[in-house]
Amino acid sequence: MLEVSALRWMLTIGLILGLLALDLGLAAARPHVVKFREAAISSILYIAVAIVFGLVFAMQVGWDYGAEYFAGYIVEKSLSIDNLFVFVIIMSTFAVPEKYQQKVLIFGIALALVMRAIFIALGAALLQLFSFMFLIFGLILIVTAVQLYRHRNADPDVQDNVLVRVARRTLTVTKDYEGGRMFTRIAGRRAVTPLFIVLLAIGSTDLLFALDSIPAIFGITAEPYIVFTANAFALLGLRALYFLVKGLLDRLVYLSTGLALILAFIGVKLVLHWGHGLDGRVPEISTNTSLIVIAVILTVTTTASLIKVRRDPTARAHAGSLTAEKPSNPGPTG
Protein backbone atom coordinates (compact mmCIF):
# COMPACT_ATOMS: atom_id res chain seq x y z
CA MET A 1 0.00 0.00 0.00
CA LEU A 2 1.41 3.35 -1.05
CA GLU A 3 1.61 5.78 1.84
CA VAL A 4 0.95 9.34 0.66
CA SER A 5 1.25 12.15 3.15
CA ALA A 6 -1.17 15.06 3.29
CA LEU A 7 1.69 17.34 2.27
CA ARG A 8 2.38 15.30 -0.89
CA TRP A 9 -1.29 15.40 -1.80
CA MET A 10 -1.41 19.17 -1.27
CA LEU A 11 1.75 19.80 -3.31
CA THR A 12 0.57 17.52 -6.13
CA ILE A 13 -2.90 19.07 -6.32
CA GLY A 14 -1.33 22.52 -6.16
CA LEU A 15 1.01 21.67 -9.04
CA ILE A 16 -1.81 20.28 -11.19
CA LEU A 17 -4.16 23.19 -10.47
CA GLY A 18 -1.34 25.64 -11.16
CA LEU A 19 -0.57 24.04 -14.54
CA LEU A 20 -4.27 23.84 -15.37
CA ALA A 21 -4.82 27.49 -14.42
CA LEU A 22 -1.81 28.51 -16.52
CA ASP A 23 -2.96 26.59 -19.57
CA LEU A 24 -6.63 27.49 -19.42
CA GLY A 25 -6.06 31.00 -18.05
CA LEU A 26 -3.83 31.98 -20.95
CA ALA A 27 -6.37 30.59 -23.41
CA ALA A 28 -9.24 32.48 -21.77
CA ALA A 29 -7.29 35.73 -21.54
CA ARG A 30 -6.26 35.67 -25.21
CA PRO A 31 -8.85 33.91 -27.40
CA HIS A 32 -7.27 33.15 -30.75
CA VAL A 33 -6.87 30.50 -33.40
CA VAL A 34 -4.11 28.17 -32.19
CA LYS A 35 -1.45 27.52 -34.82
CA PHE A 36 0.45 24.26 -35.27
CA ARG A 37 3.74 25.54 -33.79
CA GLU A 38 2.10 26.82 -30.59
CA ALA A 39 0.09 23.60 -30.19
CA ALA A 40 3.17 21.42 -30.76
CA ILE A 41 5.34 23.28 -28.22
CA SER A 42 2.60 23.23 -25.56
CA SER A 43 1.85 19.53 -26.12
CA ILE A 44 5.52 18.55 -25.87
CA LEU A 45 5.95 20.59 -22.68
CA TYR A 46 2.97 18.99 -20.92
CA ILE A 47 4.00 15.47 -21.95
CA ALA A 48 7.52 16.25 -20.69
CA VAL A 49 6.11 17.45 -17.35
CA ALA A 50 4.12 14.20 -17.00
CA ILE A 51 7.23 12.11 -17.75
CA VAL A 52 9.43 14.08 -15.33
CA PHE A 53 6.79 13.75 -12.63
CA GLY A 54 6.67 9.98 -13.20
CA LEU A 55 10.44 9.63 -13.04
CA VAL A 56 10.72 11.68 -9.82
CA PHE A 57 7.79 9.78 -8.32
CA ALA A 58 9.36 6.40 -9.25
CA MET A 59 12.71 7.37 -7.73
CA GLN A 60 10.97 8.35 -4.49
CA VAL A 61 8.59 5.42 -4.00
CA GLY A 62 10.00 2.65 -6.21
CA TRP A 63 9.81 1.59 -9.82
CA ASP A 64 6.90 -0.80 -9.25
CA TYR A 65 4.67 2.15 -8.45
CA GLY A 66 6.40 4.11 -11.20
CA ALA A 67 5.43 1.46 -13.75
CA GLU A 68 1.82 1.67 -12.54
CA TYR A 69 1.85 5.43 -13.06
CA PHE A 70 3.26 5.23 -16.59
CA ALA A 71 0.90 2.39 -17.59
CA GLY A 72 -2.04 4.36 -16.21
CA TYR A 73 -0.88 7.55 -17.93
CA ILE A 74 -0.61 5.82 -21.32
CA VAL A 75 -4.09 4.30 -20.97
CA GLU A 76 -5.66 7.59 -19.92
CA LYS A 77 -3.84 9.54 -22.64
CA SER A 78 -5.13 7.06 -25.22
CA LEU A 79 -8.70 7.46 -23.95
CA SER A 80 -8.23 11.23 -23.90
CA ILE A 81 -7.31 11.18 -27.59
CA ASP A 82 -10.56 9.35 -28.32
CA ASN A 83 -12.28 11.98 -26.18
CA LEU A 84 -10.69 14.64 -28.40
CA PHE A 85 -12.05 12.79 -31.42
CA VAL A 86 -15.58 13.25 -30.07
CA PHE A 87 -14.79 16.91 -29.32
CA VAL A 88 -13.86 17.35 -32.98
CA ILE A 89 -17.17 15.77 -34.02
CA ILE A 90 -19.09 18.08 -31.68
CA MET A 91 -17.27 21.19 -32.92
CA SER A 92 -17.92 20.18 -36.52
CA THR A 93 -21.56 19.20 -35.96
CA PHE A 94 -22.41 22.53 -34.32
CA ALA A 95 -20.12 24.54 -36.62
CA VAL A 96 -18.32 26.19 -33.71
CA PRO A 97 -16.18 29.12 -35.00
CA GLU A 98 -12.47 28.50 -34.43
CA LYS A 99 -12.08 31.55 -32.21
CA TYR A 100 -14.60 30.08 -29.73
CA GLN A 101 -13.23 26.52 -29.72
CA GLN A 102 -10.71 27.28 -26.98
CA LYS A 103 -13.53 28.38 -24.68
CA VAL A 104 -15.34 25.11 -25.26
CA LEU A 105 -12.16 23.13 -24.60
CA ILE A 106 -11.50 25.03 -21.35
CA PHE A 107 -14.93 24.03 -20.08
CA GLY A 108 -14.58 20.45 -21.31
CA ILE A 109 -11.17 19.83 -19.76
CA ALA A 110 -12.02 21.45 -16.41
CA LEU A 111 -15.26 19.48 -16.19
CA ALA A 112 -13.49 16.23 -17.15
CA LEU A 113 -10.96 16.74 -14.34
CA VAL A 114 -13.71 17.39 -11.77
CA MET A 115 -15.75 14.38 -12.87
CA ARG A 116 -12.76 12.05 -12.81
CA ALA A 117 -11.76 13.24 -9.34
CA ILE A 118 -15.27 12.43 -8.10
CA PHE A 119 -15.30 8.98 -9.73
CA ILE A 120 -11.78 8.23 -8.46
CA ALA A 121 -12.88 8.88 -4.87
CA LEU A 122 -16.03 6.81 -5.38
CA GLY A 123 -14.19 3.96 -7.11
CA ALA A 124 -11.48 3.79 -4.45
CA ALA A 125 -14.09 3.67 -1.69
CA LEU A 126 -16.04 0.88 -3.43
CA LEU A 127 -12.92 -1.22 -4.02
CA GLN A 128 -11.92 -0.92 -0.36
CA LEU A 129 -15.38 -1.91 0.85
CA PHE A 130 -16.24 -4.63 -1.66
CA SER A 131 -13.65 -6.84 -3.33
CA PHE A 132 -16.22 -8.02 -5.89
CA MET A 133 -16.12 -4.52 -7.40
CA PHE A 134 -12.98 -5.68 -9.24
CA LEU A 135 -15.22 -8.22 -10.97
CA ILE A 136 -17.90 -5.60 -11.68
CA PHE A 137 -15.37 -3.12 -13.09
CA GLY A 138 -13.81 -5.87 -15.17
CA LEU A 139 -17.13 -6.94 -16.67
CA ILE A 140 -18.04 -3.30 -17.40
CA LEU A 141 -14.81 -2.85 -19.35
CA ILE A 142 -15.26 -6.11 -21.28
CA VAL A 143 -18.83 -5.18 -22.27
CA THR A 144 -17.67 -1.67 -23.22
CA ALA A 145 -14.85 -3.14 -25.32
CA VAL A 146 -17.22 -5.46 -27.17
CA GLN A 147 -19.66 -2.62 -27.91
CA LEU A 148 -16.87 -0.29 -29.01
CA TYR A 149 -15.45 -2.95 -31.34
CA ARG A 150 -18.88 -3.77 -32.79
CA HIS A 151 -19.51 -0.11 -33.58
CA ARG A 152 -15.91 0.89 -34.30
CA ASN A 153 -16.89 2.33 -37.70
CA ALA A 154 -19.58 4.60 -36.23
CA ASP A 155 -19.46 8.09 -34.77
CA PRO A 156 -21.53 9.10 -31.73
CA ASP A 157 -24.67 11.02 -32.66
CA VAL A 158 -24.18 14.20 -30.62
CA GLN A 159 -27.41 15.66 -31.95
CA ASP A 160 -29.29 12.77 -30.32
CA ASN A 161 -27.78 13.53 -26.91
CA VAL A 162 -30.50 13.53 -24.21
CA LEU A 163 -29.36 16.80 -22.63
CA VAL A 164 -29.13 18.47 -26.03
CA ARG A 165 -32.63 17.35 -27.02
CA VAL A 166 -34.16 18.46 -23.71
CA ALA A 167 -32.41 21.84 -23.87
CA ARG A 168 -33.63 22.47 -27.41
CA ARG A 169 -37.21 21.58 -26.45
CA THR A 170 -37.31 23.64 -23.26
CA LEU A 171 -35.06 26.63 -23.98
CA THR A 172 -35.00 29.40 -26.54
CA VAL A 173 -31.84 28.94 -28.60
CA THR A 174 -30.42 31.70 -30.81
CA LYS A 175 -29.28 30.99 -34.34
CA ASP A 176 -25.92 32.76 -33.98
CA TYR A 177 -23.08 32.39 -31.47
CA GLU A 178 -23.62 35.94 -30.16
CA GLY A 179 -19.98 36.84 -29.64
CA GLY A 180 -19.10 33.67 -27.75
CA ARG A 181 -21.63 34.24 -24.96
CA MET A 182 -23.68 31.38 -23.52
CA PHE A 183 -26.69 33.46 -22.50
CA THR A 184 -28.41 36.43 -24.11
CA ARG A 185 -31.84 38.04 -24.47
CA ILE A 186 -34.22 38.06 -27.42
CA ALA A 187 -37.05 40.60 -27.25
CA GLY A 188 -36.59 40.82 -23.49
CA ARG A 189 -36.67 37.05 -23.02
CA ARG A 190 -33.70 35.09 -21.70
CA ALA A 191 -32.22 32.76 -24.30
CA VAL A 192 -29.20 30.49 -24.70
CA THR A 193 -26.78 30.49 -27.59
CA PRO A 194 -25.57 27.46 -29.57
CA LEU A 195 -22.39 27.63 -27.44
CA PHE A 196 -24.45 26.59 -24.40
CA ILE A 197 -25.79 23.58 -26.32
CA VAL A 198 -22.23 22.67 -27.35
CA LEU A 199 -21.11 22.79 -23.71
CA LEU A 200 -23.95 20.46 -22.74
CA ALA A 201 -22.81 17.98 -25.38
CA ILE A 202 -19.20 18.28 -24.19
CA GLY A 203 -20.20 17.80 -20.54
CA SER A 204 -22.22 14.65 -21.21
CA THR A 205 -19.31 13.29 -23.26
CA ASP A 206 -16.97 13.93 -20.33
CA LEU A 207 -19.32 11.98 -18.07
CA LEU A 208 -19.33 8.95 -20.37
CA PHE A 209 -15.55 8.96 -20.71
CA ALA A 210 -15.12 9.30 -16.94
CA LEU A 211 -17.33 6.23 -16.46
CA ASP A 212 -15.06 4.25 -18.82
CA SER A 213 -11.68 5.64 -17.80
CA ILE A 214 -11.92 5.12 -14.04
CA PRO A 215 -12.48 1.33 -14.18
CA ALA A 216 -9.69 1.20 -16.78
CA ILE A 217 -7.14 2.94 -14.56
CA PHE A 218 -8.17 0.89 -11.52
CA GLY A 219 -7.32 -2.13 -13.64
CA ILE A 220 -3.74 -0.86 -13.64
CA THR A 221 -3.46 0.24 -10.02
CA ALA A 222 -5.63 0.43 -6.91
CA GLU A 223 -3.65 3.39 -5.52
CA PRO A 224 -5.87 6.52 -5.53
CA TYR A 225 -2.83 8.82 -5.73
CA ILE A 226 -1.55 7.12 -8.89
CA VAL A 227 -5.05 6.99 -10.37
CA PHE A 228 -5.49 10.72 -9.78
CA THR A 229 -2.09 11.83 -11.06
CA ALA A 230 -2.24 9.62 -14.17
CA ASN A 231 -5.66 11.06 -15.03
CA ALA A 232 -4.70 14.64 -14.24
CA PHE A 233 -1.48 14.63 -16.27
CA ALA A 234 -3.26 12.90 -19.16
CA LEU A 235 -5.81 15.73 -19.24
CA LEU A 236 -3.27 18.55 -18.87
CA GLY A 237 -2.34 20.01 -22.21
CA LEU A 238 -5.37 18.48 -23.87
CA ARG A 239 -6.38 21.90 -25.22
CA ALA A 240 -3.13 22.24 -27.19
CA LEU A 241 -3.21 18.58 -28.21
CA TYR A 242 -6.66 19.12 -29.71
CA PHE A 243 -5.36 21.75 -32.11
CA LEU A 244 -2.28 19.64 -32.84
CA VAL A 245 -4.00 16.40 -33.76
CA LYS A 246 -7.47 17.39 -34.99
CA GLY A 247 -6.20 17.28 -38.55
CA LEU A 248 -4.52 13.93 -37.97
CA LEU A 249 -7.29 12.06 -36.14
CA ASP A 250 -8.91 10.99 -39.40
CA ARG A 251 -5.75 8.98 -40.13
CA LEU A 252 -6.05 6.83 -36.99
CA VAL A 253 -8.47 4.44 -38.65
CA TYR A 254 -7.82 1.64 -36.17
CA LEU A 255 -7.91 3.81 -33.02
CA SER A 256 -11.28 2.44 -31.87
CA THR A 257 -10.10 -1.13 -32.46
CA GLY A 258 -6.96 -0.50 -30.40
CA LEU A 259 -8.91 1.07 -27.55
CA ALA A 260 -11.38 -1.81 -27.58
CA LEU A 261 -8.49 -4.30 -27.25
CA ILE A 262 -6.94 -2.29 -24.40
CA LEU A 263 -10.22 -2.06 -22.50
CA ALA A 264 -10.86 -5.79 -22.97
CA PHE A 265 -7.34 -6.64 -21.78
CA ILE A 266 -7.70 -4.50 -18.65
CA GLY A 267 -11.16 -5.97 -18.03
CA VAL A 268 -9.70 -9.49 -18.09
CA LYS A 269 -6.91 -8.32 -15.79
CA LEU A 270 -9.45 -7.07 -13.26
CA VAL A 271 -11.47 -10.29 -13.38
CA LEU A 272 -8.28 -12.34 -12.85
CA HIS A 273 -7.28 -10.09 -9.95
CA TRP A 274 -10.67 -10.72 -8.32
CA GLY A 275 -10.32 -14.47 -8.93
CA HIS A 276 -6.79 -14.48 -7.48
CA GLY A 277 -8.19 -13.01 -4.26
CA LEU A 278 -10.51 -16.01 -3.98
CA ASP A 279 -8.00 -18.65 -5.08
CA GLY A 280 -4.25 -18.06 -5.24
CA ARG A 281 -3.98 -20.52 -8.14
CA VAL A 282 -5.75 -18.03 -10.45
CA PRO A 283 -2.98 -16.20 -12.36
CA GLU A 284 -2.58 -12.43 -12.26
CA ILE A 285 -1.27 -10.08 -14.94
CA SER A 286 1.62 -7.97 -13.70
CA THR A 287 1.90 -4.22 -14.19
CA ASN A 288 5.01 -4.62 -16.36
CA THR A 289 3.16 -7.07 -18.59
CA SER A 290 0.25 -4.63 -18.82
CA LEU A 291 2.58 -1.81 -19.79
CA ILE A 292 4.15 -3.91 -22.56
CA VAL A 293 0.80 -5.16 -23.91
CA ILE A 294 -0.72 -1.66 -23.97
CA ALA A 295 2.36 -0.19 -25.67
CA VAL A 296 2.36 -2.97 -28.30
CA ILE A 297 -1.36 -2.52 -29.04
CA LEU A 298 -0.97 1.24 -29.48
CA THR A 299 2.13 0.86 -31.63
CA VAL A 300 0.56 -1.78 -33.88
CA THR A 301 -2.75 0.06 -34.32
CA THR A 302 -1.04 3.38 -35.03
CA THR A 303 1.36 1.82 -37.56
CA ALA A 304 -1.43 -0.17 -39.20
CA SER A 305 -3.55 3.00 -39.41
CA LEU A 306 -0.82 4.93 -41.20
CA ILE A 307 -0.22 2.04 -43.62
CA LYS A 308 -3.96 1.79 -44.31
CA VAL A 309 -4.28 5.51 -45.06
CA ARG A 310 -1.19 5.47 -47.28
CA ARG A 311 -2.65 2.62 -49.32
CA ASP A 312 -6.17 4.04 -49.30
CA PRO A 313 -6.22 7.88 -48.92
CA THR A 314 -10.04 7.85 -48.77
CA ALA A 315 -10.07 5.79 -45.55
CA ARG A 316 -11.36 7.77 -42.59
CA ALA A 317 -11.24 7.04 -38.89
CA HIS A 318 -14.27 6.99 -36.60
CA ALA A 319 -14.51 7.70 -32.90
CA GLY A 320 -16.53 4.55 -32.28
CA SER A 321 -19.82 4.33 -30.43
CA LEU A 322 -21.25 2.30 -27.57
CA THR A 323 -24.77 2.36 -28.98
CA ALA A 324 -26.40 0.96 -32.09
CA GLU A 325 -24.40 1.92 -35.14
CA LYS A 326 -25.87 4.53 -37.42
CA PRO A 327 -25.03 4.62 -41.11
CA SER A 328 -21.93 6.75 -41.56
CA ASN A 329 -20.70 8.70 -44.56
CA PRO A 330 -19.96 6.50 -47.55
CA GLY A 331 -16.40 5.58 -48.12
CA PRO A 332 -13.87 3.03 -46.97
CA THR A 333 -13.23 2.84 -43.25
CA GLY A 334 -10.70 1.14 -40.99
Side-chain angles (χ1 to χ4, degrees):
M1 181 71 179
L2 177 63
E3 296 293 335
V4 182
S5 66
L7 178 61
R8 183 188 286 272
W9 270 109
M10 290 174 61
L11 291 175
T12 303
I13 292 174
L15 171 64
I16 290 168
L17 290 179
L19 291 170
L20 185 66
L22 177 64
D23 184 38
L24 303 186
L26 289 175
R30 191 171 65 91
H32 63 288
V33 178
V34 179
K35 302 298 183 182
F36 179 86
R37 183 173 181 274
E38 178 187 347
I41 292 173
S42 296
S43 298
I44 291 171
L45 285 175
Y46 279 106
I47 291 173
V49 168
I51 293 173
V52 170
F53 174 86
L55 293 174
V56 173
F57 173 68
M59 286 187 289
Q60 290 177 339
V61 301
W63 290 100
D64 287 341
Y65 288 126
E68 290 182 6
Y69 165 80
F70 281 110
Y73 174 76
I74 292 172
V75 169
E76 293 304 321
K77 202 67 174 177
S78 302
L79 290 171
S80 294
I81 291 174
D82 200 40
N83 201 343
L84 285 183
F85 207 143
V86 180
F87 283 6
V88 170
I89 293 171
I90 292 173
M91 301 283 196
S92 174
T93 300
F94 292 97
V96 180
E98 279 197 79
K99 60 183 178 180
Y100 302 140
Q101 290 183 9
Q102 285 204 77
K103 186 173 185 177
V104 174
L105 290 169
I106 290 171
F107 174 87
I109 294 168
L111 189 58
L113 192 56
V114 171
M115 285 185 177
R116 294 191 189 199
I118 293 171
F119 282 113
I120 287 168
L122 180 61
L126 288 173
L127 290 175
Q128 286 185 344
L129 291 173
F130 310 107
S131 62
F132 67 82
M133 288 305 301
F134 284 106
L135 174 63
I136 301 299
F137 282 179
L139 294 177
I140 288 173
L141 288 180
I142 292 172
V143 171
T144 300
V146 171
Q147 288 296 97
L148 182 59
Y149 182 77
R150 287 180 60 198
H151 309 306
R152 62 193 180 279
N153 292 329
D155 288 324
D157 184 3
V158 296
Q159 296 277 17
D160 196 43
N161 183 291
V162 174
L163 289 177
V164 171
R165 284 190 283 114
V166 170
R168 281 180 162 163
R169 283 202 303 264
T170 58
L171 301 174
T172 302
V173 184
T174 65
K175 291 183 179 180
D176 300 319
Y177 275 88
E178 304 293 334
R181 296 191 299 273
M182 287 190 288
F183 304 98
T184 188
R185 286 187 175 275
I186 299 178
R189 294 179 56 194
R190 181 173 289 276
V192 300
T193 70
L195 192 63
F196 179 80
I197 304 298
V198 171
L199 295 180
L200 284 181
I202 291 285
S204 58
T205 297
D206 284 336
L207 177 61
L208 291 176
F209 274 92
L211 289 171
D212 286 339
S213 69
I214 297 310
I217 186 66
F218 274 114
I220 300 297
T221 177
E223 301 293 343
Y225 181 81
I226 299 177
V227 172
F228 175 74
T229 52
N231 267 276
F233 281 108
L235 289 173
L236 284 175
L238 212 57
R239 176 187 64 86
L241 189 62
Y242 168 86
F243 292 101
L244 180 65
V245 305
K246 71 175 184 177
L248 304 176
L249 285 174
D250 274 357
R251 296 176 178 271
L252 300 177
V253 293
Y254 296 120
L255 174 63
S256 294
T257 300
L259 289 177
L261 291 173
I262 290 172
L263 292 177
F265 170 76
I266 298 174
V268 171
K269 183 178 187 294
L270 279 168
V271 172
L272 290 176
H273 177 75
W274 171 77
H276 185 78
L278 298 179
D279 187 341
R281 292 173 297 181
V282 176
E284 281 197 289
I285 300 174
S286 70
T287 302
N288 288 334
T289 300
S290 299
L291 188 56
I292 293 170
V293 170
I294 292 167
V296 168
I297 290 174
L298 289 175
T299 301
V300 171
T301 53
T302 301
T303 303
S305 294
L306 297 178
I307 293 173
K308 171 70 174 179
V309 171
R310 178 176 293 181
R311 291 178 176 176
D312 181 6
T314 63
R316 186 176 73 85
H318 297 275
S321 176
L322 300 181
T323 57
E325 184 172 349
K326 295 185 66 176
S328 54
N329 294 332
T333 56

